[in-house]
Amino acid sequence: MHSPTLVILAGILAALVTTVFYAVWYFNKGIPGLRLWTLSFFCASVFCASLLMRDHVPEVLLVMLTQASIAMVAYFCFLGSRAYMGRASVPHGYAALAIAAVMAAAAYFTVVQPQMGIRFALAGSVSGVCFLLTAHTLARGGFRNVPARYLFAIVASLHGLFLLLRPLLFKLAAPDAGNGADAGMVALLSQFVVLEATLSLVLMAFGALMLTNEYITRELRHLAEVDPLTDVFNRRAFLTLLEKAISSADRTQSGLSVLAIDLDHFKKVNDTWGHKGGDDVLRHFVGLATSCLRNEDVMGRMGGEEFAIFLPNASSEGTRAIAERLRAMVASQPVATDRGPIGLTVSIGATQYLPGDSSDALLQRADEAMYLAKEHGRNRVEALALSRPS
């Protein structure tokens, strides 16, 4: 297969990928990085089209266009990876200067001092570095957890290394005067370069689609597991995590405590301040509770104004201290609203895991302790099956 045919095939693939990505982005504009990856594949289409117009465009303009499009393919891919990973965009001025410098150098080595080899090396300089930076950006989170990121990173790194090293291949096969064998080798290498670029295009397109699927799956899981108002786990997800914590406590013979929490007189808050005031109260409470907890502690909204927290590896003294600190913090920090502060207290029931407890039994005992707190006047902590400090 000769090179023009390969370039046409690569151009068709790039155009198809661009179209597919644009359609996906148009209906899913919230997916980070997808717009930038679409622009990257669009620039790949422009590059292929520019190669096919070599007989119809002045050489210097064609060289500058190809240099710019190659660099923009890699740069947009790099920006897309940063956006996907939630990292801030880099200053575009440096990239613009680098691309402009490459274009100017390519024009010089086309008009003033023609050197195809130097132009070829320039073509892979910016793009090779950007693809390596793309790989470095995406390779985060652990292969088992997010394999799509690492697969994309592997393809990007291999392609980036090839772009930086490929001038050496041509230097080794540079044709001597009248040496047809070397010239044939250069032609074969040119076809290999186009094939490598086409294969990398396809693999990175699949990689980007896999990352898109990863993001959508993660969002769906978030919606299924997290309460949308307070951004803590919902009841089903909390119970699932509690079962795992119980298994871990059994296996390691470590402590596990549970707090059941109810916001006192929450119905009165809704009746007086409206549902918006009630929502503000719930979010305020969650913010305070989060500030009291350790990284390993897990909180869930069990329904309405009822919450639960489990504390892995917590002693009875530590459990009481966390519960009292949370109760005091809530009581001392009213909710600030446009209509004035809303006072709030909570009743907390605390218990510890006993061998043989199921998640339902553990939560039931914590609920019983919480109802005791309400019966004894609210704004207090009561405990069941929680040893007293010695």
Side-chain angles (χ1 to χ4, degrees), residues 74-369:
Y75 184 59
F76 279 129
C77 187
F78 170 55
L79 292 180
S81 69
R82 289 186 66 87
Y84 182 83
M85 297 297 290
R87 301 176 65 178
S89 180
V90 297
H92 299 312
Y94 296 110
L97 285 174
I99 294 173
V102 168
M103 292 173 64
Y108 175 83
F109 288 109
T110 300
V111 178
V112 180
Q113 188 178 348
Q115 290 285 345
M116 183 174 293
I118 295 179
R119 296 203 319 251
F120 197 68
L122 288 171
S125 58
V126 174
S127 55
V129 171
C130 285
F131 279 122
L132 290 177
L133 290 174
T134 297
H136 182 265
T137 301
L138 288 175
R140 298 284 190 278
F143 183 83
R144 290 189 176 183
N145 297 325
V146 282
R149 299 181 193 177
Y150 286 84
L151 293 175
F152 196 132
I154 290 171
V155 174
S157 61
L158 291 176
H159 185 54
L161 286 173
F162 180 78
L163 290 175
L164 293 173
L165 297 177
R166 69 183 180 181
L168 297 177
L169 297 177
F170 283 89
K171 186 175 182 180
L172 293 174
D176 297 328
N179 191 335
D182 286 344
M185 180 62 70
V186 171
L188 288 175
L189 284 175
S190 299
Q191 293 180 7
F192 176 72
V193 166
V194 178
L195 280 173
E196 188 277 336
T198 304
L199 180 61
S200 297
L201 169 74
V202 172
L203 291 177
M204 281 193 276
F206 276 114
L209 286 175
M210 290 173 66
L211 291 181
T212 299
N213 179 70
E214 174 189 286
Y215 177 82
I216 293 174
T217 302
R218 189 168 64 245
E219 287 297 297
L220 290 175
R221 185 181 297 114
H222 180 81
L223 291 174
E225 296 179 348
V226 175
D227 174 59
L229 176 63
T230 59
D231 206 31
V232 297
F233 289 109
N234 59 28
R235 182 183 183 88
R236 183 178 63 180
F238 180 85
L239 290 175
T240 299
L241 294 173
L242 180 58
E243 289 283 359
K244 294 180 180 179
I246 288 174
S247 298
S248 177
D250 276 332
R251 185 174 62 255
T252 61
Q253 298 297 305
S254 57
L256 174 66
S257 299
V258 173
L259 305 179
I261 306 160
D262 187 85
L263 277 60
D264 296 330
H265 304 297
F266 185 73
K267 184 178 183 302
K268 183 178 179 181
V269 172
N270 272 333
D271 293 341
T272 305
W273 301 87
H275 289 291
K276 183 181 182 304
D279 291 346
D280 290 340
V281 165
L282 292 173
R283 285 190 288 262
H284 174 77
F285 165 74
V286 168
L288 294 178
T290 302
S291 68
C292 286
L293 302 179
R294 305 165 299 172
N295 291 334
E296 62 266 34
D297 299 333
V298 177
M299 182 177 185
R301 185 182 180 190
M302 310 307 286
E305 70 276 20
E306 296 181 4
F307 294 84
I309 300 170
F310 69 77
L311 313 167
N313 301 309
S315 64
S316 58
E317 294 84 355
T319 301
R320 291 178 185 276
I322 290 175
E324 284 292 348
R325 184 163 67 248
L326 174 59
R327 182 203 60 77
M329 183 178 291
V330 172
S332 64
Q333 298 187 30
V335 185
T337 69
D338 295 338
R339 297 169 55 189
I342 302 176
L344 181 66
T345 61
V346 293
S347 298
I348 302 177
T351 191
Q352 272 188 316
Y353 171 71
L354 301 177
D357 275 346
S358 65
S359 58
D360 289 337
L362 190 55
L363 279 174
Q364 178 64 31
R365 195 161 61 246
D367 279 339
E368 291 173 3

